[in-house]
Amino acid sequence: MWQEVSEVVARSLLVSGTATVLAASWSIPTAMFLAEKESAFRRVLLDVSNTLVGVPTVLIGLILYLLLSRSGPLGFFGLLYTPASIVAGEAILITPLIVSLSASVLREKRAEVWEMALSMGATERQASATMVAESLPRLLTAVLLGFNRAIGELGVALMLGGNIKGFTRVMTTAIALEVSRGEFELALTLGGVLLVVVFGITAIVRKVGKAG
Amino acid sequence: MWQEVSEVVARSLLVSGTATVLAASWSIPTAMFLAEKESAFRRVLLDVSNTLVGVPTVLIGLILYLLLSRSGPLGFFGLLYTPASIVAGEAILITPLIVSLSASVLREKRAEVWEMALSMGATERQASATMVAESLPRLLTAVLLGFNRAIGELGVALMLGGNIKGFTRVMTTAIALEVSRGEFELALTLGGVLLVVVFGITAIVRKVGKAG
Amino acid sequence: YHYQAGYYGGTLRVTTTTSLYNTGLLEKLAEGFRQKYPRVSIQLIAVGSGEALRRAAQGDADVVLSHAPNLEKKYLSDGTLKPGKIFAYNYFIILGPHDDPAGISGMDPVNAMAAIYKACESGRALFVSRADNSGTNARELILWSLAGVDPSGRPWYVEAGADMAQTLMVANEKKAYTLSDVGTYLKFRKRLDALEPLVEKGEVLINVYSIYTVNPEKVPGVNEKLADAFTEFVLSEDGQKIIESYGVEELGEPLFRAANGDPAGELKSAWEAMARIG
Amino acid sequence: MIELKRVSFAYPRSCEDAIKNASLVFGPGVTAVIGPNGSGKTTLLKLAALLYRPRAGEVLIDGVSFWSMPDAAKVAFRRKVVYVHEKPIMLRGSVADNVAYGLRVRNLSSEDVAARVDEALEALGIKSLAREKAQALSIGQQQRVALARALAVRPKSLLLDEPTANLDKSGREEFMELIVGLAERGTCIAVATHDRLLALKLMDRAVIVENGTATLIENPEEASLV
Amino acid sequence: MIELKRVSFAYPRSCEDAIKNASLVFGPGVTAVIGPNGSGKTTLLKLAALLYRPRAGEVLIDGVSFWSMPDAAKVAFRRKVVYVHEKPIMLRGSVADNVAYGLRVRNLSSEDVAARVDEALEALGIKSLAREKAQALSIGQQQRVALARALAVRPKSLLLDEPTANLDKSGREEFMELIVGLAERGTCIAVATHDRLLALKLMDRAVIVENGTATLIENPEEASLV
Ligand SMILES: Nc1ncnc2c1ncn2[C@@H]1O[C@H](COP(=O)(O)OP(=O)(O)OP(=O)(O)O)[C@@H](O)[C@H]1O
Ligand SMILES: Nc1ncnc2c1ncn2[C@@H]1O[C@H](COP(=O)(O)OP(=O)(O)OP(=O)(O)O)[C@@H](O)[C@H]1O
Ligand SMILES: [Mg+2]
Ligand SMILES: [Mg+2]
């Protein structure tokens, strides 16, 4: 039993970790774009992002399911019911969260540091990098919150992964299964394990962020 | 059909709105406490809060179910499968998100404004109020993200509300029901309605936050 | 042919109703199948009957296991599913509170539903319905109509819109009557301190589980060979034995009965009756 | 009157004391706080302003040791002392809101607030800015607002950290007039500054800060320190 | 060389122009930018520093109009001009990291960076602070770091906004020496300041800013403006 649990934990970490890295790779540039200047367009984008922070995971799951399904436009990739599809779904799910949080972090530092960087001869790209470097600990927190959200979400993992034992079963789908089986104690135990693991990661990331 | 949808939308707004007000009422003071000083204790609390941002909603649902069910310690209130229990569950669910975001917002402003307020003769309570006032637009965003998260979550609403038609059915449980019925188109429509409503609220709150 | 078939490799996608999966029976069947076909990997996807069938129609399943004849009929008539086989059955049970305010204990199921209706109308009881178009929900509606009453819209008629487990929890909390498949009930029994089975016998409570291969002519990408092999296994002696013995050790009684080819044809006619009424 | 008794202070994560065993009194009249960059002037003033808690030693307000007081009593003592930061700190509202801040937290009646705000704005020559957003002002204008905010509460002790650094000529002159007036009326004023002329004109005594060590000089002219 | 041609600028959500139709040249030598608080000195310098885009008019760098350039060409021109803010802006790293910033973005070799950083730290008298966290310094120390950071890149044009506001006596003297040296070597320097003595000692010409209007005075002594 514990071997199976640790396998599921490892899969959860891998899947959500990959999703987080992916999501961060496009979310932080997006946030930089949104934070750079005020404009009606960017404000609407930010509203959209804030809205999507709360998009129901079943909805994302459903939309991606329809895309990835055999009869869907992306069906030929054969991604449905694979860990890759959970990665994709979770990456999309947490993108708005990371974008919103990062944009607000970067916006705070914007004017001053940006001006200083440009006036010291930085290219816009270098100035952006400086902004990110200056906000690093708080950006890291934004990304961490994204990861925590991803590893704790159920709808996407269930609809896209299918909770296939030994292949796409992650912590949350395992917990949900035990709940629907009436095995509440087991579900609580799994939940405890998940939280302990996530807490460990959170504490480590905070330490690293401080050191960096 | 549309009458039913609008009733469900209204219930979602009411339930999640109440949960958000509740959660904000204790989350922001907590965030103020966490942001006030550095200490190992507060740092651990913040880590806990960051961890719980990603707590699986089924897990919260299960724990509260066990507490609120007739045989549970709080069973005599008879709250299970009422909108009140969803309010409670969602308020608990979004507390870590609001605490984490608010603490990070308040921490940013901390030293300067806090010192200024105290040196101008403010009591600690007044200084705290000043900090909150100074961070108001961004705190409002934190609370808004909490609301969006609450209105989009499924696990708590399902396990504690039971998706009872005309009583505890909210948008997300309605969407999940249609998915399980195979009525994907209907589920997508409901999802669209939900997002449009949430987007409207987000845009309004942003406007208000700016004006305030 | 059998021995040749063991040579197959590939992936078999099985969508199944939660009642079969959550009890653990399907894992057992999959294990048995894997022993015969070690190179095949089976993906078991447990969702509601409606979603299971819809997913099959979308091309995301090779085999569907279902117990909702009225829904199955639709996909059979449009050709999505090839004609299937009944592989197992058990009985729905009517659960209610220990004090049984409607006095249905031991009654015939149709009379019991009528009695529940009366008790509910007089404010002495509640009824919790799954209200999710599942097989169980379809059966419940049939029972009401056989009893000649219509509960829809009544204040005591709680429409849970949820899966069996959730519905049982609601019924337990509200000390209400409800209809459940026996498998989920037995698995959940230890959680249901306020409920007990009151009516467990009767023709109209028969619950038939069918297995279908998705029609490759209608839905592209179906692995028909594996699907047929799995069907064959489930219907084989070995498969039927697994079904019959599942749960005996843990719960003291079997959760499912094997169809064993339905020699008397009762299961088939029960299926047809349900498909017609639903 | 603020008295420091053998006060030492170190910033967190710093091994050296930023203020070492300082004993001095900020009495009525003007005390100039003088010393090179990084010597500890700001740190000293913030200690006197009850914003930093000493690592060792005591800060006494009117003879009472502040940091050993029960919390409930502290506010009353805090309200005797006002500190103005070297970088002006503006709240989100208008200039008038900012200047009113210290009065509002003291729960003055709104007429009193309006009258005193008006007076303070007048004194700093920024009456015309009353309705502007404080955070959108130029730095010198902000410095005036910060000074007006401090003067409006009429504190017994006033600690000013490089108050004229960004003021223009007329601002500087108005400032000096104000300080002289307050000093005459018995306010205890400390001014940290690098402006020797300003110090010379205003001060009754000087505190020399050098590498964390503060020395009170009662007769700075004689000590020819300026 | 920076030239402003009929430049006007208004802050967002502000109805009045903060700079009105300014035409002037910041040429080799020292230009003092003088004017009361809120007159527009900082705004003018930021326009010259290519940080604010004019609402109307042109900013020319060595004769080329900056804001109509293709984006790709802009960096090269930006690098001719360095602006130092009135409130020092420190990055998270050490003092040395901060001083190296302008060199690193120019992709200088790490030996060159080290050598130039050393030189600049020496010039501002903060060599001993090289490894300190810049954000934990006193304000005067930060101002020195900001100046060192600007000097390290050896820009053709140097725009300094109240650079001595928080400097101590020796800092002010070192600063003057440095500026004189740079001016002799042909650097175009603009210094906004309220310090009349400093302006008098350094300037070759003055720009008087009054209520958003900037006037260049080639012979300030004669015009007896100081
Ligand atoms: N961010 C801003 N938004 C709106 N108005 C501003 C902003 N910054 C400055 N102003 C206004 O523009 C005018 C010029 O400001 P500027 O900072 O250029 O003055 P300055 O001459 O540098 O003053 P100081 O001597 O105080 O530094 C002032 O009236 C000021 O209120
Ligand atoms: N937040 C801080 N953390 C750590 N060290 C600090 C902090 N603030 C100041 N210091 C250090 O404490 C010493 C005294 O700083 P302080 O600000 O009191 O100097 P100052 O005399 O006010 O200088 P200035 O004339 O530049 O304003 C300096 O060496 C400085 O580097
Ligand atoms: Mg200082
Ligand atoms: Mg200025």
Side-chain angles (χ1 to χ4, degrees), chain D residues 36-43 45 83 86 161-162 192 194, chain E residues 138-140 166:
Chain D
N37 290 138
S39 55
K41 299 181 295 301
T42 297
T43 313
L45 287 189
Y83 169 80
E86 44 195 358
D161 204 351
E162 307 200 26
H194 294 296
Chain E
S138 84
I139 194 164
N166 299 290

Side-chain angles (χ1 to χ4, degrees), chain D residues 129 132-144 166-168, chain E residues 9-14 16-19 33-46 52 83 86 161-162 192-194 209-212:
Chain D
L129 298 177
E132 302 283 318
K133 269 195 69 183
Q135 290 177 339
L137 295 180
S138 84
I139 195 164
Q141 292 171 327
Q142 289 188 7
Q143 202 150 36
R144 286 167 195 246
N166 299 290
L167 289 191
D168 60 20
Chain E
F9 176 83
Y11 282 97
R13 278 181 298 280
S14 152
E16 221 194 337
D17 277 357
I19 289 296
V33 179
I34 298 171
N37 289 139
S39 54
K41 300 181 296 300
T42 297
T43 314
L44 185 71
L45 288 189
K46 285 193 176 177
Y52 289 167
Y83 169 79
E86 44 195 359
D161 204 352
E162 308 201 25
T193 186
H194 295 295
V209 188
E210 192 90 54
N211 205 7

